[in-house]
Amino acid sequence: MIKIINICGARPNFMKIAPLMRAYRNHGNIDPVLVHTGQHYDERMSDLFFRQLDIPEPDLNLEVGSGSHAKQTAEIMTRFEQVVNDHEPDWVLVVGDVNSTIACALVASKLHVRVAHVEAGLRSFDRHMPEEINRVLTDSISDLLFVTEPSGLENLKNEGVAPEKVHFVGNVMIDTLRANREKAEQSSILANLGLERGGYNVATLHRPSNVDDPETLGRILTAFEAIEADLPIVFPMHPRTRNNLTKLGVADRVAALKNLRIIEPLGYLDFLKLTANAAVVLTDSGGIQEETTILGVWCLTLRENTERPVTMTEGTNRLVGTDSTRIIEAYRACRAARLDAPPVPEKWDGRAAERIAEILSGC
Ligand code: UD1
């Protein structure tokens, strides 16, 4: 038996872990253990995703909660070390680029347990992003690196990673999107919010570089002022962003935007339905750049860089930074253009988790 401890901790991890836990079932020689670090803990940031995506109840929850990067990472490491010692796994599998990813990879590697990284090789080349540090470090100590897009292969080659460790398998987040598209159609979110297909935009913002800095957030709000005059903006707001509105003194300005509809974070199915039917999505998320590419919906990424360039070359994503004028111009260009179905990035076919499970079952 191959014992694999699978790590999830923060919201974007759950849609990546779901298809893997399912794919393992086809391999009688894989014994999976699921560990939730507790990095995200609100019902709407965690439990809801487990229910909607049929993720098995975690075998363990480390309940680390929030904290500074050092505190959170250290707390995960301390608690996870005990888990590895108790379970003696053959592999620790981590996904994505959050603090839980690097924390658990580092613990495993120091205990001489092999590490598999799903979504390896992505690089924004922006070391101010905490996720970039997590990506580079996790990849450098991983024994198996599962890559989602060609840029990942290139980046790992440039960093000298041995080619036999690297596998181009596709995108597990897109596995989940494809598996849930029909189910998401049943969501009543549009009716609940009184929206019609193509009659609104969606915004999500949570990157510290955007929502912790009053000047940047101010520029984005200036753009939103112009955009909401065209179509309403529905904004399911991350708790970090909500906390910051008052802290940064912009709560009144936000309240004055009558067509900006701030709502609670949504579950997976409601969010999928909402984005699938939006005119334009404005975001600083990584995963949403990929999802809109497959949904064929315009995505304006409010960042200066992306670690997912295939979403620009083969998808619907446009990098627009945080300059108000640039965002508004890009928005108008999207509204004026017809969006033909973009090509689907290679291997984003809903079978990435199967490929990963197959490789692991032979290791
Ligand atoms: C984390 C990831 C980021 C990912 C994002 C998705 C890191 C470094 N960052 O950022 O890559 O894109 O998740 O959401 O791992 N909070 C709650 N309830 C929760 C979770 C968080 O209220 O369930 C609040 C707390 O005030 C917390 C803050 O959000 O301090 C930030 O949470 P944290 O997990 O540190 O980072 P995210 O911004 O969510």
Side-chain angles (χ1 to χ4, degrees):
M1 278 301 233
I2 303 167
K3 191 175 204 176
I4 306 175
I5 297 189
N6 300 272
I7 305 298
C8 61
R11 183 170 59 179
N13 293 164
F14 306 135
M15 32 293 214
K16 295 171 192 167
I17 275 295
L20 286 165
M21 297 306 286
R22 216 169 15 252
Y24 292 148
R25 290 191 207 135
N26 297 328
H27 297 275
N29 66 338
I30 294 183
D31 172 19
V33 176
L34 182 59
V35 173
H36 191 323
T37 64
Q39 179 175 344
H40 284 177
Y41 43 84
D42 284 351
E43 153 74 19
R44 284 170 165 273
M45 299 292 284
S46 176
D47 287 8
L48 187 52
F49 289 80
F50 277 74
R51 285 201 303 279
Q52 292 196 339
L53 301 178
D54 286 326
I55 307 171
E57 187 84 6
D59 297 282
L60 283 162
N61 190 322
L62 307 181
E63 296 181 348
V64 295
S66 302
S68 69
H69 283 269
K71 263 200 184 138
Q72 191 176 57
T73 310
E75 199 59 50
I76 298 169
M77 289 184 68
T78 309
R79 296 184 192 194
F80 186 57
E81 185 173 52
Q82 189 60 47
V83 176
V84 176
N85 283 331
D86 290 348
H87 281 78
E88 299 184 343
D90 299 292
W91 288 93
V92 168
L93 178 140
V94 294
V95 298
D97 55 15
V98 302
N99 285 345
S100 302
T101 311
I102 177 60
C104 294
L106 193 48
V107 167
S109 136
K110 292 277 178 86
L111 292 174
H112 304 150
V113 173
R114 288 176 294 173
V115 176
H117 184 205
V118 174
E119 208 183 82
L122 297 181
R123 296 289 180 270
S124 65
F125 303 101
D126 173 3
R127 294 269 170 123
H128 290 290
M129 269 182 98
E131 293 81 4
E132 182 72 353
I133 306 295
N134 295 344
R135 290 180 202 118
V136 170
L137 297 182
T138 303
D139 284 344
S140 72
I141 53 173
S142 289
D143 301 278
L144 262 182
L145 297 94
F146 295 114
V147 171
T148 53
E149 61 162 86
S151 74
L153 294 174
E154 194 63 31
N155 295 332
L156 294 175
K157 189 171 153 205
N158 292 342
E159 289 172 22
V161 176
E164 59 272 17
K165 293 183 182 174
V166 179
H167 297 265
F168 178 26
V169 291
N171 190 326
V172 285
M173 195 169 223
I174 300 305
D175 290 4
T176 295
L177 185 147
R178 291 192 185 280
N180 286 281
R181 228 150 153 213
E182 262 178 46
K183 208 165 155 193
E185 276 309 306
Q186 317 298 318
S187 152
S188 56
I189 187 75
L190 297 196
N192 296 349
L193 296 172
L195 301 168
E196 285 185 2
R197 179 174 168 76
Y200 63 93
N201 303 304
V202 171
T204 82
L205 293 174
H206 73 284
R207 298 258 162 238
S209 56
N210 282 342
V211 303
D212 288 3
D213 173 38
E215 271 181 33
T216 312
L217 192 55
R219 287 198 302 275
I220 294 173
L221 289 176
T222 302
F224 283 7
E225 276 158 11
I227 292 169
E228 68 138 36
D230 175 48
L231 286 179
I233 305 173
V234 182
F235 191 163
M237 198 172 270
H238 188 286
R240 174 187 205 106
T241 313
R242 194 178 278 275
N243 293 341
N244 278 358
L245 293 185
T246 321
K247 234 190 271 172
L248 301 184
V250 294
D252 289 346
R253 207 172 150 200
V254 169
L257 293 174
K258 293 299 172 217
N259 252 341
L260 179 69
R261 298 179 58 180
I262 296 176
I263 58 174
E264 290 291 309
L266 292 174
Y268 185 78
L269 299 171
D270 284 343
F271 190 71
L272 181 51
K273 171 112 183 207
L274 190 72
T275 45
N277 290 286
V280 179
V281 174
L282 300 113
T283 190
D284 59 12
S285 152
I288 294 172
Q289 299 170 41
E290 301 182 332
E291 290 167 340
T292 46
T293 278
I294 295 300
L295 294 171
V297 172
W298 285 121
C299 178
L300 297 181
T301 296
L302 277 52
R303 288 171 45 190
E304 299 299 341
N305 49 58
T306 178
E307 61 287 333
R308 293 162 160 91
V310 79
T311 61
M312 296 179 64
T313 53
E314 291 181 42
T316 57
N317 186 24
R318 304 285 174 270
L319 265 189
V320 295
T322 58
D323 174 72
S324 325
T325 313
R326 205 169 141 210
I327 299 171
I328 296 165
E329 279 172 4
Y331 173 78
R332 294 204 172 121
C334 289
R335 294 284 288 142
R338 217 186 69 168
L339 182 55
D340 294 320
V344 174
E346 195 183 343
K347 297 195 185 175
W348 290 21
D349 57 0
R351 301 190 44 224
E354 284 173 32
R355 295 186 188 104
I356 293 170
E358 181 72 36
I359 293 165
L360 283 166
S361 80
C363 289

